[in-house]
Amino acid sequence: MKSIRPYASRLFAAVLAASAAIPAVASAENSATVGGLTFVNKGLVGIGRIPANERDKFGETFGSGSGMAVDQAAWSRDGASYKGTLYLLPDRGYNAVGTVDYRPRLNTISIGLTPTAPGAAPEAGKEQSGVDAKLVDSTLFIDDKGGDMTGLDPESGVRPAAGDFPPLPQAKNGKIALDNEAITRMADGTMFVSDEYGPYIYHFSADGHLLSATQPPKALLPMRKGALSFASNNPGPGASTPDPKDPETGRQNNQGLEGMAMTPDGKFIISVLQSAARQDGGDSGSTRQNTRAMIYDAADPDHLKLVHEYVVPLPVFKDAKDKTTIAAESEIVALSDKTFLMLARDSGNGQGLKGDTSLYRKVGIVDVSAATDIAGSDFDAGKPIAPKGVVDPSLTPATLTPFIDLNDKAELARFGLHNGTPNDKNNLSEKWEAMGLASVLDPNLPDDYFLFVANDNDFLTQDGFQVGAAYKADGGADVDTMFQVFQVTLPGLKK
């Protein structure tokens, strides 16, 4: 992500008189009305790539992004062009067979954007050059005792609670296990990072040292045979599979806090489970629709306080065999403490995979204004919110309104991209998992923003090097990190 930090007035004061972001006339197909406000998708305005074989300063293959943060203070405009800094989280390392001892890190990206006018055709031969992205630095995440962390599956390992720290996922090698998925960066450089293993929210210093950890409600903690068990059933070399392979309650394997964002006013953090917890229908692919959004008061960053919690319905679509399928949540961007953008997608299709055509990749608008607040209720103690996928009749879920279709053929074609055959480098890859906002810095368009969306390329390259060894991804895959940029109108953001 993800984060929309308070937008400083000095950014707007720096806006040049000339307008680079060109307004587009909205049609019924690219607008959505939620809570009396009309949100407009003006379409794609830029595409860019980082090569699949890029390596970071540690000599290891670069892979991003599971999460994104835009440095709002560094974002600037010069005539028709923009520049700034993005922070991208890679996933837990190249793990085609099992997890590896990859050191979690944060990558710093310099970003330049020369947007194409919404609806216009990019200059021939430069369809995918509007976004200039360069890897400039990488920062390792370090635990509270100064040791390396790891992407290895924690199996059944648990570091006991100590001081202000709750029990933490711990791999076989004794390192704290982190499967980072989302990031929000504060004005002082400190960071909140969400995790799949926990599923926890971690607070890190500006130089990557762990400061605190926030444990979710009991109902979301993965439990096996009555005990806390953080394993995701992706054991590393020489490690064992968990027994049973799936938690009996709590978050599903690899379905932790995939989305997290800070509200524009800086007061709250919203985190969303990727799909339903086991007891909430998550024990079946066809019933895992109802996930949860937790809203934390961030006044004390090392002691986040859960203040609200809501049931959030995930999108439902038909797969290639006409079977009802649930799209998993992949990222969020907070618009307020009541509304947020949510990216959800299918899986198993895209460049680098055998399946070529995605059936669902969309950004929707979630509104919790009329939803039932379940924070601190029996539902946090383990009572199912949706047994076998049916929402408890006492609960009103949030609403979900479609907004942006990443698979829009006409928009993709303008930039030389497509969804489906041929399954080449211009076919979108599978995992689109990072989003961030930056203002268009135009006083005539005060509610317009650039929405950056990036893929998680899973480190898929034919020229890879990680954890001391060279590798080649299966099937000849070479998947670039790619950025899509949309221009959107988002009224009502409380800056």
Side-chain angles (χ1 to χ4, degrees):
M1 174 189 154
K2 299 169 214 227
S3 119
I4 315 172
R5 286 195 291 101
Y7 296 101
S9 59
R10 66 177 181 276
L11 288 176
F12 292 92
V15 175
L16 301 178
S19 175
I22 302 174
V25 177
S27 66
E29 298 83 59
N30 59 15
S31 65
T33 300
V34 178
L37 299 174
T38 298
F39 300 83
V40 182
N41 167 28
K42 295 181 176 179
L44 273 172
V45 297
I47 297 290
R49 297 174 183 262
I50 294 177
N53 65 351
E54 181 81 10
R55 297 191 185 183
D56 62 27
K57 73 177 186 181
F58 303 107
E60 295 189 292
T61 297
F62 164 83
S64 280
S66 280
M68 178 193 299
V70 178
D71 187 339
Q72 303 296 335
W75 183 247
S76 65
R77 173 180 160 190
D78 183 6
S81 298
Y82 300 78
K83 64 180 180 180
T85 301
L86 301 182
Y87 299 94
L88 287 179
L89 287 176
D91 213 329
R92 58 185 172 182
Y94 178 66
N95 58 127
V97 179
T99 50
V100 296
D101 191 16
Y102 177 75
R103 295 178 296 175
R105 65 201 66 184
L106 177 69
N107 293 313
T108 303
I109 310 295
S110 70
I111 199 84
L113 171 65
T114 303
T116 297
E123 184 179 346
K126 297 183 178 180
E127 291 87 354
Q128 296 176 31
S129 62
V131 178
D132 181 23
K134 291 184 174 65
L135 174 63
V136 296
D137 199 9
S138 299
T139 302
L140 294 176
F141 289 127
I142 305 298
D143 71 19
D144 56 308
K145 298 179 181 179
D148 285 342
M149 302 177 81
T150 182
L152 281 168
D153 192 303
E155 301 178 70
S156 58
V158 178
R159 193 185 87 172
D164 278 347
F165 282 91
L168 298 179
Q170 182 171 280
K172 188 175 183 179
N173 60 9
K175 298 178 183 179
I176 301 304
L178 175 63
D179 183 2
N180 42 217
E181 293 293 348
I183 180 171
T184 184
R185 187 175 180 273
M186 309 297 287
D188 61 2
T190 62
M191 300 163 279
F192 290 101
V193 173
S194 74
D195 167 57
E196 290 235 83
Y197 288 138
Y200 285 9
I201 297 175
Y202 293 107
H203 186 213
F204 288 94
S205 66
D207 61 357
H209 284 72
L210 182 62
L211 301 173
S212 65
T214 298
Q215 193 176 57
K218 179 181 178 181
L220 302 190
L221 292 173
M223 305 293 289
R224 290 178 172 91
K225 299 180 179 179
L228 191 58
S229 172
F230 296 113
S232 68
N233 195 30
N234 288 278
S240 58
T241 57
D243 179 26
K245 70 181 185 67
D246 295 304
E248 290 151 336
T249 60
R251 66 103 178 105
Q252 296 185 66
N253 290 332
N254 301 310
Q255 300 284 297
L257 295 184
E258 189 77 16
M260 182 193 66
M262 178 163 278
T263 56
D265 59 13
K267 293 182 179 180
F268 301 97
I269 288 177
I270 304 175
S271 62
V272 181
L273 209 63
Q274 188 168 17
S275 65
R278 296 285 295 175
Q279 72 274 14
D280 295 337
D283 55 352
S284 169
S286 62
T287 62
R288 62 174 188 156
Q289 181 182 14
N290 297 288
T291 188
R292 303 190 191 203
M294 282 72 66
I295 300 181
Y296 292 88
D297 184 329
D300 183 346
D302 290 320
H303 299 88
L304 300 180
K305 180 182 178 182
L306 180 67
V307 289
H308 303 292
E309 184 179 349
Y310 305 99
V311 179
V312 174
L314 295 172
V316 178
F317 66 99
K318 295 286 188 178
D319 66 13
K321 297 181 180 179
D322 202 37
K323 180 182 177 181
T324 298
T325 307
I326 311 297
E329 177 267 326
S330 281
E331 179 62 298
I332 68 167
V333 169
L335 305 180
S336 72
D337 61 338
K338 299 295 184 184
T339 57
F340 55 88
L341 302 181
M342 182 175 74
L343 171 58
R345 60 173 179 82
D346 60 3
S347 60
N349 301 301
Q351 189 214 349
L353 301 177
K354 291 182 180 180
D356 51 49
T357 306
S358 166
L359 297 176
Y360 196 97
R361 294 189 190 109
K362 290 184 180 181
V363 178
I365 303 169
V366 176
D367 181 10
V368 303
S369 299
T372 306
D373 190 347
I374 62 173
S377 70
D378 290 344
F379 298 104
D380 272 349
K383 181 180 178 180
I385 60 170
K388 297 184 179 180
V390 180
V391 177
D392 187 292
S394 69
L395 302 179
T396 300
T399 60
L400 173 62
T401 303
F403 184 40
I404 299 173
D405 185 359
L406 270 62
N407 291 339
D408 186 297
K409 293 182 179 179
E411 284 293 281
L412 292 173
R414 289 172 50 227
F415 291 87
L417 298 170
H418 55 267
N419 171 38
T421 55
N423 201 354
D424 56 17
K425 68 176 297 181
N426 289 318
N427 185 23
L428 294 187
S429 62
E430 175 194 22
K431 297 180 179 179
W432 291 84
E433 296 190 352
M435 294 195 297
L437 286 180
S439 172
V440 302
L441 298 178
D442 185 342
N444 296 316
L445 299 170
D447 292 330
D448 270 30
Y449 296 86
F450 295 120
L451 175 66
F452 286 81
V453 186
N455 66 334
D456 171 7
N457 72 347
D458 270 343
F459 303 88
L460 297 177
T461 177
Q462 297 305 292
D463 180 25
F465 188 88
Q466 207 163 91
V467 196
Y471 70 89
K472 290 186 177 182
D474 292 342
D478 253 317
V479 179
D480 293 340
T481 293
M482 184 182 290
F483 301 86
Q484 298 187 62
V485 184
F486 298 82
Q487 187 169 331
V488 293
T489 304
L490 305 174
L493 262 65
K494 297 178 180 179
K495 309 177 182 72

